[in-house]
Amino acid sequence: MPSVSARSHSVTVENKDVALLKSATIGRGAISDIAVAGGTLAVTHFAEDSVALLDADTLAPHRSTAVGQPTAVALGDGRAHVAVSSASYDAIAVVDTASGDVLREYPLAFTVTAITASADGKRLYAARAGETGVDVAVIDLTAERVGTIYVAKGEDAVIDALRLDASGRRLYVAVSDARGSRLLTVDVESARVRRTLEIGAPIRGLELGMDSIAYVLTSDIAEGGVLYFVDLVKNEIVDLAQVAQTPTQLAIGPDGTRAYVVDYDHVAVVDTEERAVVAEVSVGARPSAVATHGDRLYVADYDGGVTTYAVASPSPMLYSQFENAPSLVVPARRELQPLGV
């Protein structure tokens, strides 16, 4: 059961943005992912084959459910949707957040690498990597049926992040392979790739902000961690910021003024208006996952702990400065060839 952690915590560079609230130990070993919605925090614990459901304010445990080896989690409509892996197949387990019961399991072919849920929790999108390319499984949780959006060919292609816009009509898919990376815009209704934007280095995180701005986090040995600002209307990169050395995950605050980047030994707090790191948060262990909700920041780590912080932000950011910003030149790379539907 979760307990108060005795580990050290710190906020450096500028500590006015972040204040420590609570810390709890959820289990042994690394936490693979976390998600928060309403008053529930879902924590996937790979080493213990379980998903823990906590009170988002107090970190008090509600339920712990055995689900297989969980890799990712998304919350919606009173359900935790958990990507799980086993020796025979990957699957999506649907867990009731009130009772902790597993309501349904959807076995899926290939390897699930990322998931995202619609705002109403009625559909779940699961990125998959197969032998010849990548696709997205679309699970209609109401009708209990599964469809497929074919995305791209490539034996080494992988989707590390995907997000659905607020309208539920456009799915943004981050595809990386040995040749580079690209952000694909998929029309959900037609299940076709409509736009491709070359990014460059492998994509580690993707979030959607206000005013049709997307945040794309990349990482490689040469350039380290870079946060790209993408105008989704123009389908172009409008700015970038160096944010970390070896980032693995990204979260955006509700008002879009702060980005939180998981680096090797800390979480970098990025001012998205100034495009600069303004704080570094350490939890006394290597961070593994991060999530935001309201004025709260949740950081999970490789020692099985979760720490919550109160975060402050300035007035909501306006993106008018991007309207006349010049496009940045990105090295040309070969595009993946979309598959037919």
mmCIF file of all heavy atoms in Angstrom, residues 119-171:
data_model
loop_
_atom_site.group_PDB
_atom_site.id
_atom_site.type_symbol
_atom_site.label_atom_id
_atom_site.label_comp_id
_atom_site.label_asym_id
_atom_site.label_seq_id
_atom_site.Cartn_x
_atom_site.Cartn_y
_atom_site.Cartn_z
ATOM 1 N N ALA A 119 -12.283 12.587 -25.591
ATOM 2 C CA ALA A 119 -12.653 13.408 -24.435
ATOM 3 C C ALA A 119 -13.830 12.814 -23.670
ATOM 4 O O ALA A 119 -13.902 12.935 -22.438
ATOM 5 C CB ALA A 119 -12.981 14.827 -24.890
ATOM 6 N N ASP A 120 -14.757 12.155 -24.371
ATOM 7 C CA ASP A 120 -15.921 11.572 -23.705
ATOM 8 C C ASP A 120 -15.672 10.136 -23.231
ATOM 9 O O ASP A 120 -16.553 9.511 -22.639
ATOM 10 C CB ASP A 120 -17.144 11.605 -24.620
ATOM 11 C CG ASP A 120 -16.941 10.831 -25.924
ATOM 12 O OD1 ASP A 120 -15.907 10.141 -26.062
ATOM 13 O OD2 ASP A 120 -17.820 10.918 -26.809
ATOM 14 N N GLY A 121 -14.464 9.613 -23.490
ATOM 15 C CA GLY A 121 -14.134 8.274 -23.040
ATOM 16 C C GLY A 121 -14.814 7.166 -23.811
ATOM 17 O O GLY A 121 -14.761 6.003 -23.409
ATOM 18 N N LYS A 122 -15.428 7.481 -24.953
ATOM 19 C CA LYS A 122 -16.163 6.471 -25.707
ATOM 20 C C LYS A 122 -15.285 5.717 -26.699
ATOM 21 O O LYS A 122 -15.630 4.615 -27.119
ATOM 22 C CB LYS A 122 -17.323 7.125 -26.477
ATOM 23 C CG LYS A 122 -18.287 7.918 -25.603
ATOM 24 C CD LYS A 122 -18.942 7.058 -24.534
ATOM 25 C CE LYS A 122 -19.951 7.854 -23.720
ATOM 26 N NZ LYS A 122 -20.536 7.056 -22.618
ATOM 27 N N ARG A 123 -14.167 6.328 -27.072
ATOM 28 C CA ARG A 123 -13.261 5.664 -28.012
ATOM 29 C C ARG A 123 -11.841 5.692 -27.473
ATOM 30 O O ARG A 123 -11.419 6.671 -26.853
ATOM 31 C CB ARG A 123 -13.295 6.346 -29.383
ATOM 32 C CG ARG A 123 -14.504 6.015 -30.215
ATOM 33 C CD ARG A 123 -14.335 6.516 -31.637
ATOM 34 N NE ARG A 123 -15.439 6.117 -32.489
ATOM 35 C CZ ARG A 123 -15.473 6.304 -33.811
ATOM 36 N NH1 ARG A 123 -14.442 6.915 -34.397
ATOM 37 N NH2 ARG A 123 -16.500 5.915 -34.523
ATOM 38 N N LEU A 124 -11.119 4.620 -27.762
ATOM 39 C CA LEU A 124 -9.724 4.541 -27.384
ATOM 40 C C LEU A 124 -8.906 4.264 -28.637
ATOM 41 O O LEU A 124 -9.300 3.447 -29.478
ATOM 42 C CB LEU A 124 -9.493 3.429 -26.362
ATOM 43 C CG LEU A 124 -8.075 3.397 -25.792
ATOM 44 C CD1 LEU A 124 -7.898 4.473 -24.735
ATOM 45 C CD2 LEU A 124 -7.760 2.027 -25.211
ATOM 46 N N TYR A 125 -7.764 4.943 -28.743
ATOM 47 C CA TYR A 125 -6.872 4.778 -29.880
ATOM 48 C C TYR A 125 -5.564 4.176 -29.382
ATOM 49 O O TYR A 125 -4.931 4.721 -28.477
ATOM 50 C CB TYR A 125 -6.629 6.125 -30.557
ATOM 51 C CG TYR A 125 -7.892 6.753 -31.097
ATOM 52 C CD1 TYR A 125 -8.755 7.475 -30.261
ATOM 53 C CD2 TYR A 125 -8.256 6.602 -32.426
ATOM 54 C CE1 TYR A 125 -9.925 8.031 -30.744
ATOM 55 C CE2 TYR A 125 -9.426 7.159 -32.921
ATOM 56 C CZ TYR A 125 -10.260 7.872 -32.071
ATOM 57 O OH TYR A 125 -11.426 8.423 -32.557
ATOM 58 N N ALA A 126 -5.173 3.048 -29.966
ATOM 59 C CA ALA A 126 -3.967 2.338 -29.543
ATOM 60 C C ALA A 126 -3.004 2.225 -30.711
ATOM 61 O O ALA A 126 -3.317 1.609 -31.742
ATOM 62 C CB ALA A 126 -4.323 0.946 -29.016
ATOM 63 N N ALA A 127 -1.815 2.828 -30.567
ATOM 64 C CA ALA A 127 -0.786 2.741 -31.594
ATOM 65 C C ALA A 127 -0.137 1.372 -31.544
ATOM 66 O O ALA A 127 0.149 0.844 -30.467
ATOM 67 C CB ALA A 127 0.256 3.834 -31.369
ATOM 68 N N ARG A 128 0.111 0.797 -32.728
ATOM 69 C CA ARG A 128 0.687 -0.541 -32.785
ATOM 70 C C ARG A 128 1.828 -0.594 -33.805
ATOM 71 O O ARG A 128 1.788 0.080 -34.844
ATOM 72 C CB ARG A 128 -0.372 -1.577 -33.188
ATOM 73 C CG ARG A 128 -1.573 -1.605 -32.268
ATOM 74 C CD ARG A 128 -2.509 -2.725 -32.614
ATOM 75 N NE ARG A 128 -3.087 -2.572 -33.953
ATOM 76 C CZ ARG A 128 -4.008 -3.389 -34.453
ATOM 77 N NH1 ARG A 128 -4.439 -4.422 -33.743
ATOM 78 N NH2 ARG A 128 -4.507 -3.191 -35.656
ATOM 79 N N ALA A 129 2.836 -1.389 -33.478
ATOM 80 C CA ALA A 129 3.956 -1.623 -34.392
ATOM 81 C C ALA A 129 3.946 -3.082 -34.805
ATOM 82 O O ALA A 129 3.955 -3.978 -33.951
ATOM 83 C CB ALA A 129 5.275 -1.273 -33.714
ATOM 84 N N GLY A 130 3.920 -3.310 -36.131
ATOM 85 C CA GLY A 130 3.931 -4.669 -36.660
ATOM 86 C C GLY A 130 5.199 -4.948 -37.445
ATOM 87 O O GLY A 130 6.155 -4.157 -37.430
ATOM 88 N N GLU A 131 5.217 -6.039 -38.163
ATOM 89 C CA GLU A 131 6.406 -6.432 -38.907
ATOM 90 C C GLU A 131 6.645 -5.565 -40.132
ATOM 91 O O GLU A 131 7.786 -5.420 -40.583
ATOM 92 C CB GLU A 131 6.289 -7.905 -39.326
ATOM 93 C CG GLU A 131 6.286 -8.877 -38.156
ATOM 94 C CD GLU A 131 6.181 -10.319 -38.614
ATOM 95 O OE1 GLU A 131 6.018 -10.530 -39.844
ATOM 96 O OE2 GLU A 131 6.256 -11.213 -37.762
ATOM 97 N N THR A 132 5.605 -4.986 -40.689
ATOM 98 C CA THR A 132 5.759 -4.221 -41.928
ATOM 99 C C THR A 132 5.395 -2.744 -41.793
ATOM 100 O O THR A 132 5.504 -1.993 -42.754
ATOM 101 C CB THR A 132 4.898 -4.829 -43.047
ATOM 102 O OG1 THR A 132 3.518 -4.801 -42.656
ATOM 103 C CG2 THR A 132 5.320 -6.259 -43.330
ATOM 104 N N GLY A 133 4.954 -2.315 -40.624
ATOM 105 C CA GLY A 133 4.580 -0.919 -40.474
ATOM 106 C C GLY A 133 3.828 -0.656 -39.182
ATOM 107 O O GLY A 133 3.798 -1.503 -38.280
ATOM 108 N N VAL A 134 3.229 0.520 -39.097
ATOM 109 C CA VAL A 134 2.504 0.915 -37.897
ATOM 110 C C VAL A 134 1.063 1.273 -38.249
ATOM 111 O O VAL A 134 0.774 1.753 -39.347
ATOM 112 C CB VAL A 134 3.184 2.109 -37.193
ATOM 113 C CG1 VAL A 134 4.492 1.692 -36.569
ATOM 114 C CG2 VAL A 134 3.417 3.274 -38.169
ATOM 115 N N ASP A 135 0.167 1.029 -37.290
ATOM 116 C CA ASP A 135 -1.219 1.414 -37.466
ATOM 117 C C ASP A 135 -1.789 1.833 -36.123
ATOM 118 O O ASP A 135 -1.100 1.806 -35.103
ATOM 119 C CB ASP A 135 -2.048 0.300 -38.106
ATOM 120 C CG ASP A 135 -2.151 -0.955 -37.226
ATOM 121 O OD1 ASP A 135 -1.987 -0.859 -35.991
ATOM 122 O OD2 ASP A 135 -2.408 -2.044 -37.782
ATOM 123 N N VAL A 136 -3.057 2.239 -36.123
ATOM 124 C CA VAL A 136 -3.755 2.622 -34.897
ATOM 125 C C VAL A 136 -5.041 1.818 -34.807
ATOM 126 O O VAL A 136 -5.876 1.855 -35.721
ATOM 127 C CB VAL A 136 -4.069 4.129 -34.872
ATOM 128 C CG1 VAL A 136 -4.871 4.483 -33.612
ATOM 129 C CG2 VAL A 136 -2.791 4.960 -34.928
ATOM 130 N N ALA A 137 -5.182 1.067 -33.729
ATOM 131 C CA ALA A 137 -6.431 0.351 -33.474
ATOM 132 C C ALA A 137 -7.417 1.323 -32.831
ATOM 133 O O ALA A 137 -7.081 2.017 -31.871
ATOM 134 C CB ALA A 137 -6.194 -0.834 -32.554
ATOM 135 N N VAL A 138 -8.627 1.380 -33.368
ATOM 136 C CA VAL A 138 -9.675 2.258 -32.847
ATOM 137 C C VAL A 138 -10.712 1.389 -32.150
ATOM 138 O O VAL A 138 -11.394 0.590 -32.795
ATOM 139 C CB VAL A 138 -10.334 3.072 -33.970
ATOM 140 C CG1 VAL A 138 -11.371 4.031 -33.381
ATOM 141 C CG2 VAL A 138 -9.294 3.832 -34.775
ATOM 142 N N ILE A 139 -10.802 1.528 -30.831
ATOM 143 C CA ILE A 139 -11.723 0.704 -30.049
ATOM 144 C C ILE A 139 -12.952 1.530 -29.694
ATOM 145 O O ILE A 139 -12.866 2.515 -28.962
ATOM 146 C CB ILE A 139 -11.054 0.180 -28.770
ATOM 147 C CG1 ILE A 139 -9.784 -0.599 -29.119
ATOM 148 C CG2 ILE A 139 -12.020 -0.691 -27.969
ATOM 149 C CD1 ILE A 139 -8.994 -1.037 -27.901
ATOM 150 N N ASP A 140 -14.071 1.138 -30.237
ATOM 151 C CA ASP A 140 -15.356 1.755 -29.879
ATOM 152 C C ASP A 140 -15.820 1.067 -28.602
ATOM 153 O O ASP A 140 -16.288 -0.073 -28.623
ATOM 154 C CB ASP A 140 -16.370 1.569 -31.013
ATOM 155 C CG ASP A 140 -17.667 2.327 -30.769
ATOM 156 O OD1 ASP A 140 -18.117 2.376 -29.609
ATOM 157 O OD2 ASP A 140 -18.234 2.863 -31.732
ATOM 158 N N LEU A 141 -15.689 1.765 -27.471
ATOM 159 C CA LEU A 141 -15.964 1.150 -26.176
ATOM 160 C C LEU A 141 -17.457 0.985 -25.900
ATOM 161 O O LEU A 141 -17.846 0.209 -25.034
ATOM 162 C CB LEU A 141 -15.317 1.978 -25.072
ATOM 163 C CG LEU A 141 -13.789 2.063 -25.156
ATOM 164 C CD1 LEU A 141 -13.253 3.157 -24.247
ATOM 165 C CD2 LEU A 141 -13.157 0.733 -24.817
ATOM 166 N N THR A 142 -18.287 1.706 -26.646
ATOM 167 C CA THR A 142 -19.734 1.568 -26.499
ATOM 168 C C THR A 142 -20.250 0.379 -27.297
ATOM 169 O O THR A 142 -20.998 -0.463 -26.789
ATOM 170 C CB THR A 142 -20.447 2.851 -26.951
ATOM 171 O OG1 THR A 142 -19.976 3.958 -26.166
ATOM 172 C CG2 THR A 142 -21.955 2.724 -26.775
ATOM 173 N N ALA A 143 -19.833 0.312 -28.561
ATOM 174 C CA ALA A 143 -20.267 -0.788 -29.431
ATOM 175 C C ALA A 143 -19.422 -2.042 -29.238
ATOM 176 O O ALA A 143 -19.769 -3.111 -29.752
ATOM 177 C CB ALA A 143 -20.207 -0.346 -30.889
ATOM 178 N N GLU A 144 -18.308 -1.913 -28.513
ATOM 179 C CA GLU A 144 -17.383 -3.016 -28.251
ATOM 180 C C GLU A 144 -16.891 -3.653 -29.554
ATOM 181 O O GLU A 144 -16.978 -4.868 -29.776
ATOM 182 C CB GLU A 144 -18.025 -4.067 -27.340
ATOM 183 C CG GLU A 144 -18.350 -3.538 -25.962
ATOM 184 C CD GLU A 144 -18.790 -4.622 -24.996
ATOM 185 O OE1 GLU A 144 -19.226 -5.693 -25.472
ATOM 186 O OE2 GLU A 144 -18.699 -4.410 -23.786
ATOM 187 N N ARG A 145 -16.341 -2.813 -30.422
ATOM 188 C CA ARG A 145 -15.757 -3.310 -31.664
ATOM 189 C C ARG A 145 -14.464 -2.543 -31.951
ATOM 190 O O ARG A 145 -14.250 -1.449 -31.432
ATOM 191 C CB ARG A 145 -16.730 -3.152 -32.830
ATOM 192 C CG ARG A 145 -17.158 -1.717 -33.090
ATOM 193 C CD ARG A 145 -18.280 -1.667 -34.110
ATOM 194 N NE ARG A 145 -18.713 -0.297 -34.355
ATOM 195 C CZ ARG A 145 -19.808 0.017 -35.045
ATOM 196 N NH1 ARG A 145 -20.573 -0.945 -35.538
ATOM 197 N NH2 ARG A 145 -20.138 1.278 -35.231
ATOM 198 N N VAL A 146 -13.617 -3.145 -32.778
ATOM 199 C CA VAL A 146 -12.293 -2.591 -33.045
ATOM 200 C C VAL A 146 -12.120 -2.360 -34.540
ATOM 201 O O VAL A 146 -12.387 -3.261 -35.350
ATOM 202 C CB VAL A 146 -11.188 -3.534 -32.529
ATOM 203 C CG1 VAL A 146 -9.806 -2.938 -32.805
ATOM 204 C CG2 VAL A 146 -11.364 -3.809 -31.042
ATOM 205 N N GLY A 147 -11.668 -1.158 -34.910
ATOM 206 C CA GLY A 147 -11.333 -0.834 -36.290
ATOM 207 C C GLY A 147 -9.846 -0.541 -36.392
ATOM 208 O O GLY A 147 -9.128 -0.538 -35.389
ATOM 209 N N THR A 148 -9.377 -0.249 -37.595
ATOM 210 C CA THR A 148 -7.960 -0.007 -37.811
ATOM 211 C C THR A 148 -7.747 1.191 -38.730
ATOM 212 O O THR A 148 -8.417 1.314 -39.756
ATOM 213 C CB THR A 148 -7.272 -1.236 -38.433
ATOM 214 O OG1 THR A 148 -7.463 -2.366 -37.591
ATOM 215 C CG2 THR A 148 -5.779 -0.995 -38.604
ATOM 216 N N ILE A 149 -6.824 2.057 -38.346
ATOM 217 C CA ILE A 149 -6.343 3.132 -39.216
ATOM 218 C C ILE A 149 -4.922 2.768 -39.621
ATOM 219 O O ILE A 149 -4.025 2.701 -38.773
ATOM 220 C CB ILE A 149 -6.349 4.496 -38.509
ATOM 221 C CG1 ILE A 149 -7.766 4.889 -38.089
ATOM 222 C CG2 ILE A 149 -5.750 5.571 -39.411
ATOM 223 C CD1 ILE A 149 -7.834 6.169 -37.268
ATOM 224 N N TYR A 150 -4.710 2.487 -40.901
ATOM 225 C CA TYR A 150 -3.373 2.156 -41.385
ATOM 226 C C TYR A 150 -2.577 3.442 -41.562
ATOM 227 O O TYR A 150 -3.021 4.359 -42.253
ATOM 228 C CB TYR A 150 -3.468 1.392 -42.699
ATOM 229 C CG TYR A 150 -4.141 0.050 -42.540
ATOM 230 C CD1 TYR A 150 -5.511 -0.086 -42.791
ATOM 231 C CD2 TYR A 150 -3.440 -1.051 -42.098
ATOM 232 C CE1 TYR A 150 -6.146 -1.308 -42.622
ATOM 233 C CE2 TYR A 150 -4.066 -2.289 -41.927
ATOM 234 C CZ TYR A 150 -5.414 -2.406 -42.193
ATOM 235 O OH TYR A 150 -6.046 -3.616 -42.008
ATOM 236 N N VAL A 151 -1.406 3.502 -40.952
ATOM 237 C CA VAL A 151 -0.658 4.767 -40.879
ATOM 238 C C VAL A 151 0.525 4.808 -41.819
ATOM 239 O O VAL A 151 0.629 5.677 -42.673
ATOM 240 C CB VAL A 151 -0.213 5.044 -39.427
ATOM 241 C CG1 VAL A 151 0.644 6.302 -39.356
ATOM 242 C CG2 VAL A 151 -1.421 5.193 -38.516
ATOM 243 N N ALA A 152 1.480 3.897 -41.665
ATOM 244 C CA ALA A 152 2.692 3.997 -42.469
ATOM 245 C C ALA A 152 3.424 2.666 -42.546
ATOM 246 O O ALA A 152 3.350 1.838 -41.640
ATOM 247 C CB ALA A 152 3.632 5.053 -41.886
ATOM 248 N N LYS A 153 4.160 2.471 -43.660
ATOM 249 C CA LYS A 153 5.010 1.303 -43.821
ATOM 250 C C LYS A 153 6.369 1.554 -43.190
ATOM 251 O O LYS A 153 6.773 2.688 -42.990
ATOM 252 C CB LYS A 153 5.184 0.986 -45.300
ATOM 253 C CG LYS A 153 3.925 0.526 -46.003
ATOM 254 C CD LYS A 153 4.219 0.249 -47.474
ATOM 255 C CE LYS A 153 2.974 -0.228 -48.206
ATOM 256 N NZ LYS A 153 3.250 -0.469 -49.645
ATOM 257 N N GLY A 154 7.094 0.469 -42.931
ATOM 258 C CA GLY A 154 8.447 0.576 -42.386
ATOM 259 C C GLY A 154 8.672 -0.431 -41.293
ATOM 260 O O GLY A 154 7.977 -0.410 -40.271
ATOM 261 N N GLU A 155 9.627 -1.358 -41.490
ATOM 262 C CA GLU A 155 9.856 -2.412 -40.511
ATOM 263 C C GLU A 155 10.306 -1.874 -39.157
ATOM 264 O O GLU A 155 10.060 -2.490 -38.120
ATOM 265 C CB GLU A 155 10.897 -3.398 -41.047
ATOM 266 C CG GLU A 155 10.418 -4.171 -42.264
ATOM 267 C CD GLU A 155 11.461 -5.143 -42.767
ATOM 268 O OE1 GLU A 155 12.553 -5.214 -42.154
ATOM 269 O OE2 GLU A 155 11.189 -5.844 -43.762
ATOM 270 N N ASP A 156 11.009 -0.722 -39.178
ATOM 271 C CA ASP A 156 11.522 -0.166 -37.925
ATOM 272 C C ASP A 156 10.704 1.017 -37.431
ATOM 273 O O ASP A 156 11.102 1.718 -36.503
ATOM 274 C CB ASP A 156 12.988 0.258 -38.086
ATOM 275 C CG ASP A 156 13.165 1.335 -39.150
ATOM 276 O OD1 ASP A 156 12.222 1.575 -39.933
ATOM 277 O OD2 ASP A 156 14.249 1.942 -39.187
ATOM 278 N N ALA A 157 9.548 1.249 -38.034
ATOM 279 C CA ALA A 157 8.713 2.386 -37.636
ATOM 280 C C ALA A 157 8.053 2.122 -36.285
ATOM 281 O O ALA A 157 7.726 0.986 -35.944
ATOM 282 C CB ALA A 157 7.649 2.665 -38.692
ATOM 283 N N VAL A 158 7.868 3.192 -35.524
ATOM 284 C CA VAL A 158 7.217 3.089 -34.224
ATOM 285 C C VAL A 158 6.429 4.360 -33.951
ATOM 286 O O VAL A 158 6.793 5.447 -34.430
ATOM 287 C CB VAL A 158 8.245 2.842 -33.099
ATOM 288 C CG1 VAL A 158 9.167 4.032 -32.930
ATOM 289 C CG2 VAL A 158 7.561 2.497 -31.778
ATOM 290 N N ILE A 159 5.334 4.245 -33.231
ATOM 291 C CA ILE A 159 4.546 5.401 -32.797
ATOM 292 C C ILE A 159 4.725 5.523 -31.290
ATOM 293 O O ILE A 159 4.247 4.680 -30.529
ATOM 294 C CB ILE A 159 3.047 5.224 -33.135
ATOM 295 C CG1 ILE A 159 2.842 5.076 -34.640
ATOM 296 C CG2 ILE A 159 2.244 6.411 -32.603
ATOM 297 C CD1 ILE A 159 1.423 4.672 -35.023
ATOM 298 N N ASP A 160 5.427 6.563 -30.856
ATOM 299 C CA ASP A 160 5.659 6.750 -29.426
ATOM 300 C C ASP A 160 4.635 7.665 -28.769
ATOM 301 O O ASP A 160 4.589 7.758 -27.538
ATOM 302 C CB ASP A 160 7.063 7.330 -29.184
ATOM 303 C CG ASP A 160 8.124 6.233 -29.169
ATOM 304 O OD1 ASP A 160 7.770 5.082 -28.866
ATOM 305 O OD2 ASP A 160 9.290 6.522 -29.462
ATOM 306 N N ALA A 161 3.819 8.350 -29.560
ATOM 307 C CA ALA A 161 2.820 9.257 -28.978
ATOM 308 C C ALA A 161 1.725 9.509 -30.000
ATOM 309 O O ALA A 161 1.977 9.536 -31.213
ATOM 310 C CB ALA A 161 3.468 10.573 -28.557
ATOM 311 N N LEU A 162 0.506 9.710 -29.516
ATOM 312 C CA LEU A 162 -0.608 10.125 -30.358
ATOM 313 C C LEU A 162 -1.622 10.862 -29.499
ATOM 314 O O LEU A 162 -1.756 10.590 -28.312
ATOM 315 C CB LEU A 162 -1.244 8.955 -31.087
ATOM 316 C CG LEU A 162 -2.072 7.896 -30.350
ATOM 317 C CD1 LEU A 162 -2.839 7.048 -31.374
ATOM 318 C CD2 LEU A 162 -1.206 6.987 -29.510
ATOM 319 N N ARG A 163 -2.304 11.829 -30.103
ATOM 320 C CA ARG A 163 -3.291 12.638 -29.395
ATOM 321 C C ARG A 163 -4.459 12.948 -30.326
ATOM 322 O O ARG A 163 -4.280 13.178 -31.522
ATOM 323 C CB ARG A 163 -2.683 13.955 -28.900
ATOM 324 C CG ARG A 163 -1.712 13.802 -27.736
ATOM 325 C CD ARG A 163 -2.429 13.367 -26.473
ATOM 326 N NE ARG A 163 -1.538 13.242 -25.334
ATOM 327 C CZ ARG A 163 -0.952 12.113 -24.954
ATOM 328 N NH1 ARG A 163 -1.147 11.006 -25.656
ATOM 329 N NH2 ARG A 163 -0.168 12.089 -23.893
ATOM 330 N N LEU A 164 -5.659 12.982 -29.736
ATOM 331 C CA LEU A 164 -6.877 13.324 -30.455
ATOM 332 C C LEU A 164 -7.259 14.749 -30.112
ATOM 333 O O LEU A 164 -7.200 15.151 -28.943
ATOM 334 C CB LEU A 164 -7.997 12.373 -30.048
ATOM 335 C CG LEU A 164 -9.306 12.435 -30.830
ATOM 336 C CD1 LEU A 164 -9.109 11.883 -32.246
ATOM 337 C CD2 LEU A 164 -10.388 11.641 -30.094
ATOM 338 N N ASP A 165 -7.671 15.550 -31.131
ATOM 339 C CA ASP A 165 -8.059 16.920 -30.829
ATOM 340 C C ASP A 165 -9.415 16.963 -30.141
ATOM 341 O O ASP A 165 -10.112 15.951 -30.031
ATOM 342 C CB ASP A 165 -8.025 17.802 -32.087
ATOM 343 C CG ASP A 165 -9.177 17.523 -33.047
ATOM 344 O OD1 ASP A 165 -9.954 16.569 -32.826
ATOM 345 O OD2 ASP A 165 -9.307 18.271 -34.034
ATOM 346 N N ALA A 166 -9.773 18.143 -29.638
ATOM 347 C CA ALA A 166 -10.986 18.287 -28.837
ATOM 348 C C ALA A 166 -12.256 17.936 -29.611
ATOM 349 O O ALA A 166 -13.246 17.487 -29.032
ATOM 350 C CB ALA A 166 -11.079 19.711 -28.289
ATOM 351 N N SER A 167 -12.228 18.134 -30.932
ATOM 352 C CA SER A 167 -13.405 17.835 -31.743
ATOM 353 C C SER A 167 -13.573 16.334 -31.975
ATOM 354 O O SER A 167 -14.649 15.872 -32.362
ATOM 355 C CB SER A 167 -13.300 18.539 -33.102
ATOM 356 O OG SER A 167 -12.304 17.933 -33.909
ATOM 357 N N GLY A 168 -12.513 15.572 -31.759
ATOM 358 C CA GLY A 168 -12.556 14.143 -32.012
ATOM 359 C C GLY A 168 -12.440 13.781 -33.476
ATOM 360 O O GLY A 168 -12.600 12.613 -33.853
ATOM 361 N N ARG A 169 -12.106 14.767 -34.318
ATOM 362 C CA ARG A 169 -12.064 14.525 -35.763
ATOM 363 C C ARG A 169 -10.652 14.309 -36.297
ATOM 364 O O ARG A 169 -10.482 13.693 -37.349
ATOM 365 C CB ARG A 169 -12.699 15.703 -36.503
ATOM 366 C CG ARG A 169 -14.166 15.919 -36.168
ATOM 367 C CD ARG A 169 -14.692 17.175 -36.821
ATOM 368 N NE ARG A 169 -16.104 17.408 -36.487
ATOM 369 C CZ ARG A 169 -16.776 18.499 -36.838
ATOM 370 N NH1 ARG A 169 -16.162 19.455 -37.540
ATOM 371 N NH2 ARG A 169 -18.033 18.636 -36.488
ATOM 372 N N ARG A 170 -9.658 14.820 -35.594
ATOM 373 C CA ARG A 170 -8.292 14.717 -36.082
ATOM 374 C C ARG A 170 -7.408 14.026 -35.042
ATOM 375 O O ARG A 170 -7.395 14.422 -33.873
ATOM 376 C CB ARG A 170 -7.726 16.097 -36.420
ATOM 377 C CG ARG A 170 -8.320 16.696 -37.681
ATOM 378 C CD ARG A 170 -7.865 18.118 -37.900
ATOM 379 N NE ARG A 170 -8.401 19.008 -36.867
ATOM 380 C CZ ARG A 170 -9.607 19.569 -36.922
ATOM 381 N NH1 ARG A 170 -10.404 19.324 -37.941
ATOM 382 N NH2 ARG A 170 -10.020 20.359 -35.959
ATOM 383 N N LEU A 171 -6.701 13.026 -35.499
ATOM 384 C CA LEU A 171 -5.774 12.279 -34.662
ATOM 385 C C LEU A 171 -4.363 12.622 -35.111
ATOM 386 O O LEU A 171 -4.046 12.530 -36.302
ATOM 387 C CB LEU A 171 -6.019 10.779 -34.800
ATOM 388 C CG LEU A 171 -5.150 9.854 -33.951
ATOM 389 C CD1 LEU A 171 -5.500 10.008 -32.469
ATOM 390 C CD2 LEU A 171 -5.322 8.409 -34.402
#
